[in-house]
Amino acid sequence: MSTPCALAKRLCLPWPALAVTAAFLVFAFLLTWRLGEREMWLDETITVGHTNTPQSVYDAFHPMGYYWLLYRWRQVFGGSDLALRAFSVPWALAALLLVWLLGRALLPLPQAALAAWLYALSPFVLLYARAARYFALTGAVALAVAYFALLARREGKWWQYLGLGLASTMLLWINYVPSLFLPLVYGWLLVGAWRRRGWGWLLAAAPPLALAVRKAEWMLFSARAVAEIPAAPGHAGAKVVLLKLILPFYAALVGETTDFWRFYLVVPVALAGLVLWVAGMVAIWHRGGSERWLVLLPWPATVLAVALVLSTVAAAEPWPRVSSLSLFALPFFLLTLAAGTGALPRTWAIPLVVVFLLGQGYGVRNYLTR
């Protein structure tokens, strides 16, 4: 009887490559399962309204990029619920590919494959990446920013800087909120370029900077519009910050679809994830080098920074303002978890990973059956 490893050798493929291929197939299935059958969310109906006419309409948080692209998509594939949601599917798959590429660049091969599976089975990703909203597109483009920044910091080739500049410009064209990560990325890149006396980072910074200057008036207007949103009673800034940090972490484990009161299910999964995350953070930190910052900064540092900015407006519902950012930051959280499996003895790592995956499977089951 052939073992999986023997089958992989027979196909001339390493087993992690087969594992990642299977992750893509499972993820594609989950993304497309009954894609057009469910009722539109309120936010998705807003998307429909924005793309009903060729005149691009966008709000204070989100510039025209997503709506413009979706309008062109709608002209080709129609305006059904299925067609509008299908636009997000290839971007979600692109995000998984970038998770795998970042994992290959930062972690050993088995841990990179595990990170891909953790992302593919994340109920939080499944919940938001299928929606007719900008979530999947934002996550994929922001991950592209991180990946090109990593390549540029390591190799410093012109096309890597150009890719970073184009991805950063597209991020500014799609969503302002994750764009707050850009100063951290360019600052991290500048330190390495300064030491090597390389100036390719100017090539990367020029396109997004030009767009920011051109759109500065609109961005300031957007900031004023956000500041004028009335605060909701009982939602102080500190509470909003806390929610923005806890909710993405919880969703990374078992998904928003799991009932909060089921502690006998949630607590073991949360503890397993916490142990793996702490072990991964310690391992990455002790590994040293500048690349650790690319893993450690997005989660929770960027989420916290954005939450602090947005907490100036104590909005009644904190979740939507951070969900698209979380789709970008979540992969780095999962990469840290995967790194934790290599830092712990196998007798600890394997049971913890199994518990975590079972929790994710429970969240996916809740979503698929509700």
Side-chain angles (χ1 to χ4, degrees):
M1 183 175 181
S2 298
T3 64
C5 293
L7 179 61
K9 291 179 181 178
R10 191 175 301 170
L11 294 174
C12 300
L13 291 171
W15 73 262
L18 290 176
V20 172
T21 301
F24 270 91
L25 294 175
V26 170
F27 191 47
F29 170 77
L30 293 175
L31 286 173
T32 54
W33 172 262
R34 299 173 56 194
L35 188 60
E37 295 181 17
R38 307 196 176 190
E39 185 179 356
M40 281 277 192
W41 300 358
L42 174 61
D43 283 1
E44 289 180 304
T45 61
I46 294 173
T47 296
V48 173
H50 284 335
T51 56
N52 270 332
T53 65
Q55 181 66 32
S56 296
V57 181
Y58 46 100
D59 55 39
F61 289 99
H62 313 108
M64 66 178 291
Y66 169 75
Y67 299 119
W68 186 88
L69 290 171
L70 186 60
Y71 176 76
R72 304 302 172 190
W73 173 277
R74 186 173 179 171
Q75 285 183 308
V76 177
F77 297 101
S80 66
D81 294 356
L82 175 62
L84 293 176
R85 286 173 173 159
F87 176 75
S88 297
V89 171
W91 293 108
L93 291 171
L96 177 59
L97 174 61
L98 287 162
V99 170
W100 163 243
L101 292 175
L102 281 166
R104 285 291 291 116
L106 297 169
L107 301 173
L109 194 59
Q111 296 173 20
L114 175 61
W117 268 103
L118 291 174
Y119 187 84
L121 294 178
S122 170
F124 173 74
V125 174
L126 179 62
L127 184 65
Y128 284 93
R130 290 162 44 103
R133 293 295 282 165
Y134 44 80
F135 302 131
L137 176 60
T138 300
V141 174
L143 283 169
V145 170
Y147 183 62
F148 279 115
L150 176 63
L151 294 181
R153 179 71 183 255
R154 283 183 173 179
E155 303 172 15
K157 296 180 179 178
W158 69 269
W159 63 267
Q160 297 163 349
Y161 286 110
L162 180 61
L164 173 61
L166 295 176
S168 301
T169 304
M170 189 171 183
L171 186 61
L172 282 171
W173 190 50
I174 295 167
N175 196 333
Y176 290 139
V177 176
S179 301
L180 295 177
F181 178 68
L182 292 181
L184 294 175
V185 170
Y186 279 97
W188 175 73
L189 190 63
L190 175 58
V191 172
W194 187 272
R195 290 174 181 171
R196 289 198 309 246
R197 296 186 179 180
W199 302 101
W201 64 275
L202 288 174
L203 177 65
L209 185 61
L211 179 63
V213 169
R214 182 179 178 186
K215 298 293 185 180
E217 183 178 355
W218 169 252
M219 295 173 74
L220 290 174
F221 169 78
S222 300
R224 287 195 298 270
V226 171
E228 291 173 0
I229 298 176
H235 282 266
K239 183 177 180 181
V240 175
V241 171
L242 186 62
L243 286 171
K244 287 180 184 300
L245 287 173
I246 290 178
L247 285 176
F249 182 83
Y250 177 85
L253 301 177
V254 291
E256 188 182 295
T257 58
T258 299
D259 295 332
F260 278 86
W261 57 268
R262 295 185 179 180
F263 292 111
Y264 64 92
L265 293 172
V266 173
V267 170
V269 180
L271 289 177
L274 184 62
V275 171
L276 289 170
W277 181 60
V278 171
M281 291 279 283
V282 172
I284 292 170
W285 182 263
H286 283 301
R287 186 184 304 164
S290 63
E291 292 176 359
R292 62 184 174 180
W293 295 107
L294 188 63
V295 180
L296 300 180
L297 280 177
W299 190 294
T302 303
V303 177
L304 177 60
V306 173
L308 287 170
V309 171
L310 296 179
S311 69
T312 57
V313 182
E317 177 53 63
W319 183 253
R321 302 293 180 242
V322 80
S323 51
S324 57
L325 174 72
S326 298
L327 276 177
F328 157 58
L330 176 63
F332 295 94
F333 172 80
L334 298 177
L335 286 169
T336 306
L337 259 66
T341 63
L344 294 171
R346 287 189 177 182
T347 53
W348 281 81
I350 293 176
L352 289 173
V353 169
V354 169
V355 170
F356 189 88
L357 287 171
L358 287 174
Q360 285 196 316
Y362 178 71
V364 170
R365 171 188 171 276
N366 283 347
Y367 181 76
L368 293 179
T369 59
R370 67 173 181 159

